[in-house]
Amino acid sequence: MPLGSFPRSEGTVSSPIGGGASAVPVHVAVIMDGNGRWARARRLPVIAGHRQGAESVQKCVRTAIQQGVRYLTLYAFSSENWRRSTKEVGDLTSLLRFYLRHKINELHGQGVRLRVIGEPERFEGPLREELHRAETLTLHNTTLTLTLALSYGGRAEIVQAARRLAEDAVAGRITPDSITENTLHDALQTADMPDPDLVIRTSGECRLSNFLLWQSAYAELIFMDVLWPDFGESEFLDALSRFAGRQRRFGGRPA
């Protein structure tokens, strides 16, 4: 099947795609890895890799819209990234604030809704203000939901959900016996979006690195050798093509 022409998926985990039928995933999640290595290979400061990586985000969004992907979630800043140098964290947050200020109108014009998961309250006030402005401006857009995972950790998200359910149980709003996978799912920050059908990681690393651990239980995983700043339309289409060739079983037998 030629790249650039993929039939739509009929659903996510709750509606398996049978028999290896070609389909575009409803929800794609991306672990954007390799900015630093890209910069070091060119003897450039790390921020140069982050700037080029921001350009790749724009290409990724455009391709997702063109192909009919409805949800795109990007691992933009993990909870572990706070261990990086103060300068790199500052450069990253300044770059994110710049792109939110100067690119949000373009995203809004494309019908993109911007959302944030994680702990954005850990960032400085100016970035939080830009995030709030962007979320408010794009709230009612429906072409694509672009979710930024900022100061995000999958284990921490599950702990927060469990704590919320425990508080409800102590308050008598629910009983322990009533807690199911569905109730825990509904306590997650991603409760109002489908689980990812496809998780892509760039840079050749083959791990989830604490990203959407609960939500990715039945996602297809694709690890690509390309560094994130070199990820563009052709790489995204390649990942979609590989996804379309997968046979999704969800624990059942093949069709």
Side-chain angles (χ1 to χ4, degrees):
M1 181 178 63
L3 292 179
S5 178
F6 298 97
R8 290 278 299 124
S9 165
E10 292 302 322
T12 55
V13 170
S14 60
S15 301
I17 302 166
S22 299
V24 171
V26 173
H27 185 178
V28 177
V30 185
I31 302 171
M32 306 179 294
D33 194 15
N35 290 351
R37 274 171 281 177
W38 184 93
R40 287 190 293 272
R42 291 158 177 78
R43 299 184 179 180
L44 296 171
V46 174
I47 187 60
H50 293 314
R51 288 195 188 103
Q52 190 62 36
E55 298 297 321
S56 294
V57 168
Q58 295 182 71
K59 296 174 186 176
C60 196
V61 169
R62 285 196 297 268
T63 306
I65 292 172
Q66 290 166 1
Q67 296 302 317
V69 174
R70 299 297 304 277
Y71 296 85
L72 179 64
T73 301
L74 304 179
Y75 205 8
F77 192 97
S78 76
S79 53
E80 290 79 17
N81 285 160
W82 290 108
R83 301 171 188 167
R84 297 185 180 185
S85 71
T86 301
K87 183 181 186 310
E88 184 175 355
V89 170
D91 286 344
L92 270 169
T93 54
S94 295
L95 181 63
L96 178 55
R97 195 168 73 241
F98 173 86
Y99 271 88
L100 284 170
R101 186 181 305 134
H102 295 281
K103 299 294 183 179
I104 192 60
N105 287 333
E106 179 181 338
L107 291 174
H108 184 44
Q110 293 172 307
V112 175
R113 179 189 178 190
L114 183 75
R115 289 194 52 197
V116 179
I117 59 173
E119 298 177 306
E121 64 274 8
R122 292 189 62 181
F123 292 97
E124 59 184 9
L127 177 55
R128 294 199 306 271
E129 291 169 8
E130 291 293 343
L131 289 168
H132 177 71
R133 185 177 75 86
E135 287 187 292
T136 302
L137 176 66
T138 64
L139 179 61
H140 300 293
N141 292 341
T142 58
T143 299
L144 174 73
T145 297
L146 173 63
T147 302
L148 300 181
L150 293 171
S151 189
Y152 173 86
R155 287 181 174 180
E157 182 188 21
I158 294 170
V159 168
Q160 290 169 1
R163 185 179 295 124
R164 189 173 300 119
L165 293 175
E167 291 170 351
D168 286 344
V170 169
R173 291 187 289 269
I174 61 174
T175 64
D177 287 346
S178 70
I179 297 174
T180 65
E181 288 188 15
N182 287 335
T183 54
L184 196 146
H185 170 273
D186 291 344
L188 295 171
Q189 294 185 41
T190 57
D192 60 346
M193 68 174 72
D195 289 341
D197 303 294
L198 170 63
V199 176
I200 301 168
R201 180 170 186 150
T202 60
S203 86
E205 302 292 345
C206 300
R207 57 182 179 272
L208 289 176
S209 294
N210 203 19
F211 181 52
L212 298 181
L213 298 179
W214 176 279
Q215 299 88 336
S216 298
Y218 284 100
E220 296 297 318
L221 309 179
I222 291 180
F223 302 104
M224 307 183 78
D225 288 332
V226 63
L227 299 175
W228 177 249
D230 293 324
F231 189 94
E233 180 182 14
S234 62
E235 288 75 21
F236 200 163
L237 292 175
D238 177 47
L240 294 181
S241 180
R242 290 161 64 180
F243 172 85
R246 298 279 180 91
Q247 185 178 66
R248 306 189 71 195
R249 301 179 184 179
F250 303 95
R253 295 185 182 276

